[in-house]
Amino acid sequence: MSTTQSERLRGLLEPLVSAEELDLEEIEVSRAGRRRVLRIIVDSEEGVELDACAELSRAISEKLDETDAMGDEEYVLEVSSPGADRPLTEHRHYVRATGRLAKLHLREGGELVARILAVDEEGLDLEVPGVKGRKPTSRRVAFDEIAKARVEIEFSRKDKKEEEA
């Protein structure tokens, strides 16, 4: 997708997304056979309900029908929330991932899997799980030390209520 089309779509869709109290995370136009796919990724502090995606999809569809932003070619519109293992690229993503396990690829090399305990303007306070029966350790990582990060999916994590019992 050209930068101009991306900027135009963002300018057109951002007010609709904001009106639903959601954040516009990503706009992607790709090919699927003879058609194009317009994928809109939205999120919020509380996550995104399926009904909110459906409602927003209708509003976006109406707005796109009123304009020529997608041109004359057929396209499929998809509105969804980011996946559970989404990349962390914005400060708000780290805040939303507080309490979750994340894999951090560090700029100096190496990677770190740790639980995000707190987030401030400079970086993260982490809990690094202990290995072979050792206790977890605390670690501070500044944002400028992180090359990329992604939430890790946990299948067997106890929730806080179970841990307190």
Side-chain angles (χ1 to χ4, degrees):
M1 173 169 61
S2 71
T3 305
T4 308
Q5 184 185 26
S6 177
E7 289 169 359
R8 185 167 181 215
L9 284 169
R10 185 167 286 280
L12 192 66
L13 304 179
E14 189 97 53
L16 296 173
V17 174
S18 295
E20 297 295 325
E21 298 181 2
L22 298 171
D23 296 319
L24 180 56
E25 295 292 345
E26 188 177 334
I27 298 173
E28 177 187 317
V29 178
S30 59
R31 283 250 170 235
R34 294 189 329 230
R35 293 187 195 177
R36 292 177 301 158
V37 176
L38 172 59
R39 189 168 290 116
I40 311 291
I41 307 294
V42 296
D43 202 4
S44 78
E45 296 295 326
E46 299 78 36
V48 182
E49 302 265 330
L50 184 59
D51 290 343
C53 284
E55 195 173 309
L56 183 58
S57 180
R58 285 189 289 276
I60 289 172
S61 182
E62 286 176 21
K63 185 61 130 180
L64 292 174
D65 288 347
E66 295 170 4
T67 70
D68 65 345
M70 289 300 294
D72 294 332
E73 285 183 73
E74 283 186 30
Y75 67 92
V76 174
L77 173 63
E78 295 179 4
V79 177
S80 66
S81 62
D85 63 343
R86 62 137 358 118
L88 305 173
T89 58
E90 304 281 337
H91 184 269
R92 68 178 179 264
H93 298 164
Y94 289 97
V95 171
R96 290 176 186 157
T98 299
R100 309 264 323 262
L101 202 60
K103 180 185 265 186
L104 310 173
H105 294 270
L106 304 175
R107 290 194 192 285
E108 297 293 318
E111 59 185 42
L112 174 66
V113 176
R115 189 163 313 283
I116 300 172
L117 299 177
V119 180
D120 60 30
E121 295 305 314
E122 287 82 41
L124 312 170
D125 291 326
L126 303 170
E127 179 184 76
V128 181
V131 180
K132 295 185 181 177
R134 294 190 178 144
K135 292 187 178 192
T137 57
S138 296
R139 180 160 176 190
R140 174 81 180 167
V141 176
F143 286 121
D144 62 2
E145 295 177 62
I146 302 170
K148 66 181 183 177
R150 181 176 297 277
V151 170
E152 289 285 284
I153 298 173
E154 296 179 84
F155 293 105
S156 61
R157 180 175 182 218
K158 295 178 183 175
D159 76 15
K160 293 211 181 268
K161 291 176 188 166
E162 288 180 49
E163 289 174 4
E164 292 169 0

